[in-house]
Amino acid sequence: TRDEQGRAHFGRVEGFLQLLILLNMLAFACETLPGIGPGWQRALGVFEALSVIIFTVEYFVRVASTRPRLSYV
């Protein structure tokens, strides 16, 4: 949806992204723990990769839905 100034708002998506940011912070902290097992390292790496994909898609969706586009690129 758009507000009075024409800015796009994503509601639940914004809440999900905020949660994902918090989970990324937690995952980063866990990666620095000494003695973390290889299984956890792999799982955290996969989580990080998926998060980057989600954040990249979110960025392109925001750019595509914003006017004028070039001012945000």
Side-chain angles (χ1 to χ4, degrees), residues 38-61:
W40 279 106
Q41 287 178 340
R42 193 174 321 110
L44 292 171
V46 169
F47 177 72
E48 182 179 352
L50 290 174
S51 296
V52 168
I53 291 169
I54 291 169
F55 290 135
T56 302
V57 169
E58 180 257 345
Y59 174 76
F60 284 113
V61 168

Side-chain angles (χ1 to χ4, degrees), residues 13-36:
V13 174
E14 289 179 357
F16 169 74
L17 291 170
Q18 290 172 359
L19 176 63
L20 189 58
I21 290 168
L22 291 173
L23 291 175
N24 268 279
M25 290 169 37
L26 180 62
F28 178 77
C30 289
E31 284 181 317
T32 64
L33 294 173
I36 189 168

